[in-house]
C-alpha cells in the first residue's frame, strides 16, 4: 500500500519538501528526491506495510488537528509578559538592528548568524543546524550540522533554493546533544509537530530560529535568473544576497559562479524582482501558507523593509522574540555592546511585511474560495475562504496564480536546465505582465492613499 503522506499530500501537489516525514518513517521507506518541477518530494523506496500515519502527523500540510496557533500557545502562551497579534502570533519583544561583524556576509543585519554562533559560544547548544552551500551543482545548498562558529558562518545569507531536513533530523535522532535549528515557518511547524511525537527531538532541539517567509523557490528559479544574468555554463555556486555599497539594501544582487570560476552578477531590479513578486517557480504548497512570521520559532529574523532602514546598504534585521531565555541572551549581549539593536514597535514589524501578509491572508482566503468552487483538495487553514476582495485585488491574485502555474508548466516542458529559457518564459508571460501593469496603474490612487497613511502611522509609532 501507499504511504498516507503520498496519497494525502504529495499526490495533491501540497508538499513543500521539508523531509520530516522521511526522517520519522519507522520503516525508513521514504526518500527525498527532486520532482519534475525542481522541488523536493518524498518518494517510496518500498511499499508501506504498517500505515502507522507518523508521516502525516509531522507534515505541515496535512490535517494533524494542530495549527500554528495551537502549537505556539502550548510553547509560549504561558511565558510571562507574552502578547499576541493575529499577524505575528505570540511575541515577547521586537527589535531592529544588526551585528556589525556579521552583516557584510549576511542576508540582512546578520542577526541570525550572530544568534546561532552565540548559542554555541555561550554553551546554550552543542550543535547548530543551518543551510550552507555544498559546491555540488546538483544540490547547491543543504541543511548541515555544525559544531563551531566558523562553520556556522559559512551558512550566512539566504538560500532561495529547495533544501530538505531528512538527513539532519536523522542525525539529531542518532547523536545526543542540544541542537539549535534555523528554518522557514513551515519547516519549523513540521519540527514542532514531530517533537510532539518523538521524545528525542523534543529533548534535543532546544532552540528554533525562524525566518520570515513569503515563498520558497524551485531550483529552476536559480537556473532562470542565471540565464538572465548571462551564465551559459553550469551554475557551480550562487550567493543570493550580495550587497553593494552604492545600492540600497533592497537592491541586492545574485552572484553566480560557474565551473570555470567566472562570476556573473544580477541586481534585484534587473529582473529578479519580476520573477520573485509574480511567484514564478514558487511551489504550489506556498499558496496554502498562512504563517508569515514563523510563529512556532523562539526567535524570528527578517529584513527591515521599512523606509528608514531599507536605504542602508549594510542591511538591517528585525527580530521577534518569543522565548524568555532568548530575550535575556539578546538583552545581555546588547548591554555589552556585542550587537547594535533597539526595541521597535511591533506594528512597524508588521508593516515591514505588508505585501506578504496580503498574499498569505486576504489572497489566501480568496484562493480557498476558488478552490471550494472547483472542489479542489486543499489543507485546512486558519484563514477561512472568502470572496471578500476588491475587483482589482481579485484580478491581481488570479493573474499571479496563472503566472505561477505557467512557470511550473514551463519547467515541465523544458526540463531541469533552462538554458536560453529566460527570454522564452518572459515571452509566454507577456499578456499577464501587461495585465499587471494595468492593475498597477488603476490601483495607483489607492496605493498613494495607503502610502500616505503609512507615513502618518510610522511617525506616530516613533513617538
Ligand atoms: C525562502 C526565503 C524566503 C524569505 N522571505 C522573506 C520575506 O518575505 N521577508 C523577509 O523579511 N525575509 C524573508 N526571508 C528572510 C531573509 O531573507 C533573511 O534570511 C533574514 O532577514 C535573516 O537575515 P540575517 O542577516 O539575520 O541572517 P543571516 O545572518 O544571513 O543568516 C541566515 C541564516 O538562515 C539560514 N538559512 C538560509 N536559507 C535558509 C533556508 N532556505 N532554510 C532554512 N535556513 C536558511 C542560513 O544558514 C543562516 O544560518 C526569507 C528567507 C528565505 C530563505
Ligand atoms: S511537506 Fe514535508 S512532511 Fe509533508 S509530505 Fe512534504 S516532505 Fe513530507
Ligand atoms: S511560504 Fe510558507 S509554505 Fe512556502 S516556504 Fe514559506 S513558510 Fe513554507
Amino acid at each position: 500500500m501507499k504511504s498516507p503522506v503520498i496519497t494525502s499530500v504529495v499526490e495533491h501537489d501540497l508538499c513543500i519538501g521539508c523531509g520530516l516525514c522521511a526522517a520519522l518513517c519507522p520503516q525508513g521507506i521514504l526518500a527525498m528526491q527532486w520532482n519534475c518541477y525542481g522541488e523536493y518530494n518524498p518518494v517510496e523506496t518500498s511499499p508501506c506495510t504498517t500505515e502507522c500515519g507518523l508521516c502525516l502527523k509531522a507534515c505541515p500540510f496535512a490535517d494533524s488537528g494542530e495549527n500554528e496557533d495551537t502549537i505556539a500557545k502550548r510553547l509560549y502562551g504561558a511565558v510571562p509578559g507574552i502578547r499576541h497579534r493575529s499577524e505575528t502570533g505570540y511575541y515577547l519583544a521586537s527589535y531592529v538592528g544588526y551585528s556589525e561583524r556579521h552583516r557584510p556576509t549576511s542576508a540582512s543585519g546578520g542577526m541570525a548568524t550572530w544568534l546561532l554562533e552565540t548559542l554555541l559560544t555561550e554553551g546554550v547548544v552543542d550543535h547548530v543546524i543551518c543551510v550552507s552551500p555544498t559546491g555540488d551543482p546538483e544540490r547547491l545548498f543543504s541543511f548541515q550540522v555544525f559544531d563551531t562558529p566558523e562553520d556556522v558562518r559559512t551558512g550566512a545569507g539566504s538560500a532561495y533554493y529547495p533544501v530538505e531536513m531528512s538527513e539532519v533530523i536523522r542525525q539529531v535522532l542518532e547523536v545526543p546533544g542540544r541542537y539549535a535549528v534555523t528554518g522557514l515557518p513551515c519547516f519549523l511547524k513540521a519540527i514542532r509537530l514531530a517533537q510532539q511525537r518523538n521524545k528525542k527531538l523534543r529533548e534535543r532541539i532546544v532552540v528554533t530560529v525562524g525566518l520570515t517567509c513569503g515563498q520558497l523557490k524551485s531550483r529552476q528559479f536559480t537556473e532562470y535568473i542565471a540565464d538572465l544574468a548571462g551564465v551559459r555554463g553550469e551554475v557551480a555556486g550562487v550567493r543570493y544576497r550580495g550587497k553593494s555599497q552604492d545600492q540600497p539594501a533592497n537592491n541586492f544582487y545574485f552572484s553566480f559562479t560557474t565551473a570555470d570560476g567566472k562570476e556573473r552578477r544580477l541586481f534585484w531590479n534587473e529582473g529578479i524582482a519580476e520573477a520573485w513578486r509574480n511567484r514564478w517557480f514558487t511551489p504550489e504548497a506556498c499558496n496554502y501558507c498562512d504563517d508569515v512570521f514563523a510563529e512556532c520559532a523562539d526567535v524570528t529574523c527578517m529584513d527591515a523593509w521599512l523606509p528608514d532602514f531599507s536605504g542602508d546598504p549594510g542591511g538591517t534585521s528585525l527580530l521577534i522574540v518569543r522565548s524568555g531565555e532568548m530575550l535575556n541572551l539578546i538583552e545581555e549581549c546588547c548591554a555589552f555592546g556585542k550587537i547594535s539593536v533597539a526595541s521597535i514597535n511591533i506594528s512597524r514589524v508588521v508593516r515591514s511585511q505588508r505585501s506578504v501578509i496580503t498574499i498569505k491572508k486576504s489572497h489566501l482566503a480568496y484562493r480557498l474560495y476558488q478552490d471550494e468552487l472547483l472542489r479542489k483538495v486543499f489543507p485546512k487553514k486558519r484563514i477561512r475562504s472568502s470572496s471578500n476582495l476588491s475587483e482589482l485585488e481579485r484580478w491581481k491574485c488570479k493573474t499571479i496564480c496563472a503566472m505561477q502555474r505557467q512557470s511550473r508548466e514551463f519547467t515541465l516542458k523544458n526540463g531541469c536546465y533552462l538554458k536560453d529559457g529566460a527570454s522564452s518564459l518572459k515571452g509566454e508571460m507577456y499578456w499577464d505582465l501587461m495585465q499587471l501593469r494595468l492593475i498597477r496603474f488603476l490601483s495607483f490612487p489607492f496605493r498613494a492613499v495607503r502610502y500616505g497613511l503609512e507615513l502618518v502611522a510610522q511617525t506616530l509609532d516613533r513617538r
Side-chain angles (χ1 to χ4, degrees), residues 186-225:
C186 55
F187 282 56
L188 294 187
K189 180 184 177 190
I191 286 185
R192 294 307 194 188
L193 291 171
Q195 282 184 311
Q196 282 170 47
R197 270 96 201 172
N198 189 294
K199 190 163 174 260
K200 282 184 186 167
L201 292 183
R202 207 158 47 238
E203 288 172 355
R204 294 178 186 174
I205 297 178
V206 294
V207 181
T208 50
V209 179
L211 303 175
T212 287
C213 180
Q215 59 190 301
L216 188 55
K217 292 294 188 188
S218 71
R219 61 188 284 195
Q220 270 65 31
F221 171 71
T222 299
E223 295 289 337
Y224 169 77
I225 304 292

Side-chain angles (χ1 to χ4, degrees), residues 142-156:
S142 70
F143 272 102
Q144 295 176 41
V145 182
F146 292 130
D147 299 343
T148 67
E150 294 74 29
D151 285 342
V152 169
R153 234 167 286 152
T154 64

